[in-house]
Amino acid sequence: MAVFDTPREAFGALRPACVRLTQAQTAENVALLRARLAAVGAAALQELQEYVLYPLRLALTSPGPRRERLVQSAARGLAAVLGATRLRGPELLRELLAELCACLGTPPAPGPAPGPGPAPGAGPASEELKLAVVEALHALIHSADGDVILSLYQPPALHLLGFTVSLLLGLAERERARQLKISALKCLQALVLRCECQQHRQLREDEEQQCGDTFASFLPGVVLALSRVITADIKQGHATTVAALRVFYQVVGLVMADEQLARIPENKEKPSGEQSGVSKLVVHRGPDWSKNTAEKLSLLLHKIVERSSVHSHWKVRLELVELVHHLVRNCRQSLVDSFTHLLKAVVGLVNDENSEVQSRCNEVLQHIAEQQLVAHNRALADVLSENLHSLATALPRLMNSQDDTGKFATLSLLLGYLKLLGPKVNIVLNSASHLHRLSKALMQVLELDVTDVKIVEDRRWGSGSGYEGSLQHGVQKGRCQKKYFRFFTEEKVFQLLQQVCRVLGYYGNLYLLVDHFLGLYSESALYRKQAAMVLNELIAGAAGVGVDVLQQREVPLDGDDIKGAITSVLDEYTDQANWYLVTSIDAEEASQELSVNPSGLAALPGAACGSVLPPPDPCVTTRTMNSNIWQICIQLEGVGCFATVLGKEFRLLLLSALYPVLEKAGDKTLLISETAMGTLVDICEACSYDSVQCLINENSDYLVNGISLNLRHVAHRPHASQVLDTMLRHSDASLLPLVEDVIQDVLSTLDQSYNHQASTFLGVLHSLVAALVKWFGPSRSEEPQRRQAAERQSGTLGQVQAAITGQEVEQFFLDYVRQKQVAEGNLSDSGDEEADEVPPVAKLESSNSDTEGETPLPSHAQLAKDVMGRCIHLLSDRSLRVRLKVLDVLELCVTVLHPHRNHLLPMAHRVWPALVTRLISDDPLAVLRAFKVLCTLAQKCGDFLRQRFSKDVLPKLTSSLLSQAPASARAGPVYSHTLAFKLQLAVLQGLGSLCEKLDMGESDLNKVADACLIYLSAKQPMKLQEAAQSVFLHLMHVDPDSTWLLLNEVCCPQLYEPPHASLQPVKLRGMGRPRNEFTDNVLLLLEKLQHQESRVLQAGTQEASPA
């Protein structure tokens, strides 16, 4: 279809349709005209605008019963014309507006119609008709030029504008169709001249003022209706709520704009006589009116914020943020009383689940901070301060009643208030009541849950695990221990509380805050842990570490101020009353030790029922110890935090901080020791040390001096041993010369206080000897390499060995005779045992000086020897715990002295009587540990212990195994958790290697085999069967023939035919026996023995073949 671009052509095309519609107002004629309009150009239609509008207006306002289809079609035609043209006449605008509103208006009461419009008695319009009329209204407003549309905001048009606004509000509030509600709200937004289109020009100040004055008359009805739409049922859809929110803040922002209200005179101007009637309806936006209106708007905004901030759709929450931004930007003076609700909304949505809402909230808050709206508005700062006070007052109640989501929102609000106040936060802190409320709220919210008994139960046993990786050069930053709080469980809630404290430290008066919370720290033990947490975060925030703020503080904090605050807090933390707290039963009952339990190997069944630990002190509860542990951990974390804040300047405080931290690193409570190690790592990173080892080595001089001084007053300063223990566990061999004198002090002090301090010093000695094993012991990786090299070179070295063997034979036998004399105890004839031992040992050492080349004993070996000498005396201590520690130390001493055999063997001779006593008449725990020491001694000393073991220990071991076998065979699965089972298992697992290492004689091997044979029964627990198998596997290496014969006497799997008739047939008791409980294990062992013999035979064949 051709397009008619000239008015003449367009008139010719449109005239028939217009005439036809004028003569007969039908929907078909309107459709015909709309079809013709599609072919007319915009410029031509602009010239014919009124001509075309006339028949459409006639159809729209035709008298008689309302024909909805005709009106709907006419409204759409009207919208099409207005959408393509511009309206340039104010009169035409008002007429069209009145006619369209008449189509939406309620039917008048019965009687003659007052003017054009639908006839009386017409029914309610359909939703389709209303939608078409609203769209026409929207097109009408957009088509009006700037000056034309402004004519609506003159006093003469106030009635018509009010009628239009009320109709649109009625549609938005009462209609059910979503599209109709949204269209009505968009039309109302266009009527306020705040739509998103670019057709309207920017209004001048006087024009904005005129619009504001006009809409001030409608403000109560508009905001009430819109608030009802916003808070209506969620079923209406989020788009309706978003549109209503947008219109709400556009209208309020227009009428309550600060710039407009500032230009309003205090007294209303008297209108002229012609306008006096209409002007009475125009509201004078004076100070009184503004104040009253702001109070009423505050109620509505509170209702809107409460409902919209928790709306399920993120677009509604996003529009709420836009509402806050618009009103804060334009109405910061007039709506200051509403800022409580507005800022609460935007602050509460900072951590919204939707990223767009979060981002926009941060932008709005950043804008508020950059514009310094709070800093330059004392009233707004006062409002925020009061909000903060009210929230701090209600915080404990809210944290006790809300779920974690509600708590997160509440704390987000608290943090937001602090961020918005920024430097003005000192207004709150300088008020004693405000600071008191805020601090007590933090104390209650941060209360820890100290009921978990595992905190007290977790102990750091031994030091083996501490050596693994303790010399690493790479530093990993220590992490804070996970805490469990009474009023919340989620970690993000605690992170918010950390930010609250850090923001306080960043903006607040640091000296005031530190002094106040140190007062709470000292005031009550109930607040001590919480106050320490707050102090740590305050100082981190003051230094700007990990703090998120909206604006920079006014005056940067001086480094000396931070250092002074840290020094005062550090002194309070490390004070004896706060640093040395009861964290375990041992600390309370160090003197209450168990007496010797003479049960030994002969009373294994009852051993499982005995209690090793002393009964707990009823005065010190688990809750108290748990609380003390957490307090120490928090203080340790604080030391690490202070180091991070000060950096290298913290080196100046190492003299007062490092020693106490090392004490706690050696604490037996696992949580404390782990936290202390994390603190040491933090100190390393802050002070630029490569590792904890470097930190200790470079400060070892003053540490050693402190240890030495404290050891002289060990009764009052019992923790020096823990520092030494930590230094040994986390350093290297270069530390040994520095601590050698201290170790001698420890040994001297131990000599003077065996009864009181033995347990404490044994822990240090254990760490020392364990460190010596690590630093000077044989390398595990070198031994297999040596063996492989020896095997490879066995052929070439055989001839050389043959050449030198003759030269060494004589010396070998002389050494053998001397060792046998020592083993038999034929050293002296005097009765005093102590006197007996020393001279022969001296002789033995002097006689072997030739082989040692007169080389003195190395310092580390001499230390191990000295320690071993003290341990011999302590093996008979009445305390079981001491005896257990002594046995552990003894085992390590044997390992250190192993390369120095001439010193090890006399010491083994001295320790043997006390060790035998522990093996045969002691508590099962001590027997287990003593047997482990015996195995180590046998491995290092070899056949030196053969006769002693055969005479003193083996009979007891075998009789114990035989007596306990029936009990273990009958026992159920619980038996594997008893001490009796563990002792049986340990003896069976070590007995075979003992026989092999000591090269036992045939009679002793027979005793061992007879005692272990019963454990091959299928009735025994599986672990005991496997351990018994290991004994026979070792016996196969020592005496395979006897072992084969013994096993075949039990079960012989095959018959042995003589190779010749003259020979007697072989008869074994195991032949022909039916299958029994021993059969499976015996057959398995015989099979392994056969494989072993075949491998030996094959190896011999391979050696003989080259020859």
Side-chain angles (χ1 to χ4, degrees):
M1 176 179 257
V3 177
F4 304 103
D5 292 327
T6 63
R8 180 182 295 276
E9 293 174 346
F11 180 75
L14 295 175
R15 182 174 180 276
C18 290
V19 171
R20 187 171 179 179
L21 179 58
T22 304
Q23 292 173 350
Q25 292 82 30
T26 62
E28 289 76 11
N29 290 338
V30 175
L32 177 62
L33 178 58
R34 289 176 60 193
R36 296 292 178 89
L37 288 173
V40 177
L45 185 60
Q46 180 66 48
E47 296 294 331
L48 300 173
Q49 183 190 53
E50 292 190 23
Y51 177 77
V52 177
L53 287 176
Y54 175 75
L56 291 172
R57 293 172 60 190
L58 188 62
L60 197 67
T61 59
S62 59
R66 174 180 294 175
R67 292 173 290 176
E68 286 195 0
R69 186 162 169 265
L70 170 63
V71 176
Q72 181 178 342
S73 182
R76 288 178 178 171
L78 200 66
V81 174
L82 294 173
T85 60
R86 302 293 298 169
L87 201 63
R88 299 195 173 113
E91 284 296 328
L92 182 59
L93 172 63
R94 288 194 290 271
E95 290 175 2
L96 287 173
L97 187 61
E99 291 166 0
L100 288 171
C101 288
C103 295
L104 292 174
T106 305
S126 65
E127 291 178 348
E128 291 79 5
L129 172 60
K130 294 176 184 177
L131 181 60
V133 174
V134 170
E135 289 174 350
L137 277 172
H138 197 262
L140 174 64
I141 297 169
H142 277 86
S143 68
D145 285 334
D147 295 334
V148 175
I149 193 65
L150 286 175
S151 66
L152 283 178
Y153 304 99
Q154 299 293 338
L158 196 62
H159 299 81
L160 179 58
L161 185 61
F163 182 51
T164 306
V165 170
S166 63
L167 286 175
L168 292 174
L169 289 173
L171 292 175
E173 184 178 359
R174 289 187 290 272
E175 293 296 331
R176 301 182 63 181
R178 292 184 183 179
Q179 188 59 41
L180 178 56
K181 294 165 77 73
I182 295 170
S183 296
L185 290 168
K186 287 184 177 180
C187 184
L188 185 59
Q189 184 182 356
L191 202 58
V192 189
L193 303 182
R194 292 294 187 273
C195 56
E196 290 84 357
C197 69
Q198 304 298 324
Q199 298 178 14
H200 295 123
R201 65 175 174 82
Q202 188 70 27
L203 298 179
R204 300 188 302 270
E205 286 186 1
D206 58 331
E207 295 171 346
E208 287 275 359
Q209 192 85 16
Q210 180 182 343
C211 293
D213 288 338
T214 303
F215 267 94
S217 303
F218 314 137
L219 185 65
V222 171
V223 295
L224 283 171
L226 290 175
S227 66
R228 288 192 290 268
V229 176
I230 294 169
T231 58
D233 194 341
I234 196 174
K235 294 179 181 178
Q236 70 179 354
H238 73 277
T240 304
T241 308
V242 169
L245 278 169
R246 187 173 294 123
V247 177
F248 183 92
Y249 69 73
Q250 295 286 2
V251 173
V252 174
L254 173 66
V255 177
M256 301 298 293
D258 293 336
E259 295 179 358
Q260 295 188 29
L261 295 178
R263 293 192 293 264
I264 300 293
E266 291 188 9
N267 299 319
K268 185 177 182 181
E269 298 178 359
K270 293 183 179 181
S272 60
E274 297 178 357
Q275 297 182 348
S276 61
V278 178
S279 297
K280 291 180 181 179
L281 300 176
V282 178
V283 172
H284 176 66
R285 295 185 286 169
D288 294 338
W289 179 90
S290 300
K291 182 179 179 181
N292 294 331
T293 304
E295 291 176 357
K296 296 178 174 64
L297 283 174
S298 179
L299 299 175
L300 288 178
L301 284 170
H302 176 63
K303 182 179 179 182
I304 290 171
V305 166
E306 289 291 327
R307 188 63 179 267
S308 301
S309 59
V310 295
H311 198 280
S312 59
H313 203 282
W314 66 271
K315 288 188 177 180
V316 175
R317 303 194 298 273
L318 181 62
E319 198 63 33
L320 178 62
V321 177
E322 297 297 340
L323 178 147
V324 175
H325 183 221
H326 187 84
L327 296 183
V328 168
R329 185 178 56 188
N330 296 297
C331 311
R332 69 188 70 163
Q333 300 292 337
S334 60
L335 295 180
V336 66
D337 293 337
S338 301
F339 272 39
T340 302
H341 317 302
L342 298 178
L343 294 179
K344 179 179 179 181
V346 70
V347 169
L349 293 174
V350 167
N351 297 299
D352 192 83
E353 60 185 16
N354 184 268
S355 59
E356 291 189 33
V357 178
Q358 284 187 26
S359 175
R360 185 57 181 151
C361 280
N362 288 321
E363 291 174 5
V364 171
L365 290 174
Q366 193 68 41
H367 170 77
I368 294 174
E370 290 173 356
Q371 297 298 319
Q372 295 186 332
L373 300 181
V374 178
H376 295 162
N377 190 334
R378 181 57 186 266
L380 183 54
D382 290 342
V383 168
L384 285 174
S385 301
E386 289 305 316
N387 290 351
L388 188 61
H389 182 264
S390 301
L391 184 58
T393 304
L395 192 60
R397 175 180 55 80
L398 294 174
M399 296 299 287
N400 199 20
S401 59
Q402 293 177 324
D403 58 5
D404 276 8
T405 303
K407 293 169 187 173
F408 186 76
T410 302
L411 291 173
S412 297
L413 186 60
L414 176 65
L415 178 61
Y417 285 157
L418 292 173
K419 287 183 177 180
L420 286 174
L421 279 169
K424 293 291 182 181
V425 76
N426 284 308
I427 297 175
V428 178
L429 301 181
N430 290 333
S431 169
S433 63
H434 283 62
L435 181 57
H436 176 77
R437 284 289 184 185
L438 182 59
S439 59
K440 284 301 178 68
L442 290 174
M443 294 301 99
Q444 294 181 53
V445 170
L446 284 169
E447 184 177 350
L448 286 168
D449 180 9
V450 292
T451 58
D452 187 7
V453 72
K454 290 183 180 179
I455 301 297
V456 181
E457 285 181 342
D458 289 340
R459 311 290 287 166
R460 180 179 62 83
W461 297 109
S463 57
S465 59
Y467 287 97
E468 299 299 327
S470 62
L471 301 180
Q472 60 182 357
H473 294 283
V475 173
Q476 295 181 353
K477 185 172 177 60
R479 295 181 178 178
C480 293
Q481 298 289 345
K482 179 176 175 59
K483 301 173 183 64
Y484 299 92
F485 295 88
R486 182 180 173 187
F487 293 110
F488 59 88
T489 56
E490 292 193 15
E491 184 68 20
K492 63 180 182 179
V493 178
F494 177 55
Q495 292 171 359
L496 272 181
L497 285 167
Q498 285 180 307
Q499 278 298 312
V500 167
C501 299
R502 291 183 183 183
V503 170
L504 277 174
Y506 186 80
Y507 289 123
N509 185 331
L510 183 60
Y511 278 114
L512 172 65
L513 289 168
V514 169
D515 182 69
H516 180 76
F517 282 99
L518 276 179
L520 291 175
Y521 180 90
S522 305
E523 177 183 325
S524 171
L526 295 175
Y527 296 152
R528 199 159 291 155
K529 297 181 292 299
Q530 301 93 301
M533 278 189 281
V534 174
L535 284 167
N536 297 344
E537 301 302 334
L538 283 175
I539 291 176
V545 177
V547 61
D548 181 22
V549 294
L550 297 174
Q551 54 186 316
Q552 299 299 318
R553 49 191 163 198
E554 296 174 346
V555 180
L557 194 63
D558 188 11
D560 292 336
D561 293 340
I562 297 182
K563 191 181 299 182
I566 287 176
T567 303
S568 61
V569 175
L570 193 58
D571 291 342
E572 192 71 24
Y573 281 179
T574 55
D575 184 77
Q576 287 196 11
N578 302 321
W579 196 254
Y580 302 110
L581 303 174
V582 178
T583 58
S584 66
I585 298 296
D586 296 337
E588 279 292 296
E589 300 184 357
S591 62
Q592 297 183 12
E593 298 286 350
L594 290 183
S595 59
V596 176
N597 180 7
S599 55
L601 291 168
L604 284 175
C609 304
S611 174
V612 178
L613 293 176
D617 187 353
C619 298
V620 181
T621 64
T622 302
R623 186 184 185 91
T624 302
M625 292 187 290
N626 201 338
S627 177
N628 292 340
I629 290 171
W630 274 119
Q631 180 183 331
I632 294 172
C633 289
I634 292 167
Q635 292 172 172
L636 285 167
E637 290 171 359
V639 177
C641 173
F642 303 157
T644 303
V645 167
L646 291 180
K648 287 189 177 181
E649 293 184 7
F650 191 76
R651 290 193 178 208
L652 301 175
L653 299 178
L654 285 179
L655 289 175
S656 59
L658 184 56
Y659 191 95
V661 174
L662 287 174
E663 282 182 346
K664 296 307 175 185
D667 198 280
K668 291 300 181 183
T669 303
L670 183 63
L671 191 68
I672 294 177
S673 62
E674 285 183 349
T675 307
M677 285 308 303
T679 301
L680 289 174
V681 174
D682 288 338
I683 293 174
C684 289
E685 186 173 277
C687 299
S688 301
Y689 291 105
D690 293 335
S691 64
V692 175
Q693 174 186 324
C694 294
L695 172 67
I696 293 174
N697 289 348
E698 293 189 24
N699 296 277
S700 57
D701 50 353
Y702 100 87
L703 291 173
V704 170
N705 182 60
I707 294 170
S708 180
L709 290 174
N710 290 333
L711 284 175
R712 297 172 189 174
H713 308 282
V714 69
H716 303 287
R717 297 179 179 273
H719 303 283
S721 59
Q722 294 180 358
V723 182
L724 184 57
D725 174 68
T726 304
M727 292 176 66
L728 291 170
R729 284 191 293 116
H730 298 284
S731 189
D732 58 3
S734 62
L735 183 68
L736 187 60
L738 296 173
V739 300
E740 193 168 352
D741 292 338
V742 177
I743 298 300
Q744 294 299 332
D745 291 344
V746 170
L747 295 177
S748 301
T749 308
L750 182 61
D751 292 340
Q752 299 169 7
S753 56
Y754 276 115
N755 296 331
H756 306 292
Q757 301 296 331
S759 179
T760 300
F761 289 126
L762 280 172
V764 179
L765 297 180
H766 186 277
S767 298
L768 169 67
V769 185
L772 295 179
V773 170
K774 181 173 181 63
W775 299 338
F776 303 103
S779 174
R780 298 176 184 176
S781 60
E782 293 175 1
E783 291 181 358
Q785 295 175 1
R786 287 200 204 106
R787 288 198 205 100
Q788 292 177 3
E791 290 175 0
R792 288 194 218 102
Q793 299 177 1
S794 59
T796 58
L797 293 178
Q799 299 176 358
V800 179
Q801 290 175 356
I804 64 174
T805 299
Q807 300 173 7
E808 294 182 348
V809 168
E810 181 180 0
Q811 186 62 42
F812 171 78
F813 281 109
L814 289 174
D815 292 343
Y816 176 77
V817 170
R818 272 192 293 271
Q819 292 176 9
K820 188 171 183 181
Q821 289 175 352
V822 173
E824 293 175 351
N826 299 327
L827 297 177
S828 176
D829 295 334
S830 61
D832 188 8
E833 184 179 352
E834 292 294 331
D836 287 349
E837 294 174 0
V838 179
V841 172
K843 284 184 179 181
L844 187 60
E845 291 180 359
S846 61
S847 64
N848 286 294
S849 60
D850 295 336
T851 58
E852 291 290 331
E854 298 294 342
T855 57
L857 197 62
S859 59
H860 68 276
Q862 185 62 48
L863 280 176
K865 184 177 178 182
D866 294 341
V867 171
M868 191 170 181
R870 266 66 173 192
C871 290
I872 293 173
H873 300 296
L874 288 171
L875 267 178
S876 57
D877 193 276
R878 61 190 297 271
S879 168
L880 172 61
R881 294 183 181 181
V882 171
R883 298 197 301 277
L884 294 176
K885 289 182 179 180
V886 168
L887 289 168
D888 287 338
V889 175
L890 270 178
E891 183 181 3
L892 294 171
C893 289
V894 171
T895 304
V896 176
L897 288 174
H898 175 228
H900 311 282
R901 188 176 178 84
N902 288 341
H903 297 273
L904 173 60
L905 296 184
M907 296 304 295
H909 170 73
R910 290 179 57 192
V911 80
W912 182 258
L915 182 62
V916 171
T917 304
R918 303 284 73 78
L919 280 167
I920 63 176
S921 60
D922 205 338
D923 187 276
L925 280 176
V927 174
L928 274 173
R929 207 72 56 90
F931 188 77
K932 186 179 179 183
V933 175
L934 175 63
C935 294
T936 304
L937 267 175
Q939 182 181 2
K940 305 302 181 184
C941 299
D943 55 3
F944 173 77
L945 298 177
R946 182 194 306 133
Q947 186 171 350
R948 299 166 184 263
F949 175 75
S950 174
K951 177 182 177 182
D952 300 333
V953 178
L954 185 59
K956 295 290 184 181
L957 290 179
T958 54
S959 63
S960 174
L961 288 174
L962 289 171
S963 64
Q964 291 304 307
S968 59
R970 295 191 304 269
V974 181
Y975 183 74
S976 61
H977 299 284
T978 63
L979 278 176
F981 171 82
K982 292 176 182 178
L983 185 54
Q984 283 176 285
L985 183 63
V987 171
L988 288 172
Q989 288 175 339
L991 196 54
S993 61
L994 275 173
C995 293
E996 187 173 358
K997 293 291 182 182
L998 299 180
D999 194 17
M1000 303 296 294
E1002 183 177 354
S1003 62
D1004 291 331
L1005 293 178
N1006 290 336
K1007 293 178 183 178
V1008 171
D1010 291 339
C1012 296
L1013 184 62
I1014 193 172
Y1015 287 94
L1016 294 178
S1017 169
K1019 297 179 180 180
Q1020 296 288 342
M1022 183 55 66
K1023 287 187 177 181
L1024 295 183
Q1025 295 181 46
E1026 294 171 355
Q1029 292 176 16
S1030 70
V1031 174
F1032 283 97
L1033 290 176
H1034 283 285
L1035 294 180
M1036 290 176 187
H1037 291 90
V1038 180
D1039 192 351
D1041 296 336
S1042 297
T1043 306
W1044 179 86
L1045 182 60
L1046 176 64
L1047 294 175
N1048 276 279
E1049 290 290 329
V1050 178
C1051 176
C1052 185
Q1054 58 184 351
L1055 299 176
Y1056 294 97
E1057 297 292 337
H1060 193 271
S1062 62
L1063 299 175
Q1064 296 292 329
V1066 178
K1067 294 183 179 179
L1068 300 173
R1069 283 187 294 176
M1071 289 181 177
R1073 282 189 178 181
R1075 186 179 183 85
N1076 56 30
E1077 60 198 72
F1078 300 97
T1079 303
D1080 291 339
N1081 287 321
V1082 170
L1083 291 178
L1084 179 62
L1085 288 171
L1086 287 173
E1087 183 181 355
K1088 290 183 178 180
L1089 180 59
Q1090 185 177 356
H1091 287 316
Q1092 176 183 320
E1093 293 294 335
S1094 61
R1095 283 197 304 270
V1096 172
L1097 183 60
Q1098 185 178 1
T1101 305
Q1102 290 177 354
E1103 291 178 0
S1105 58

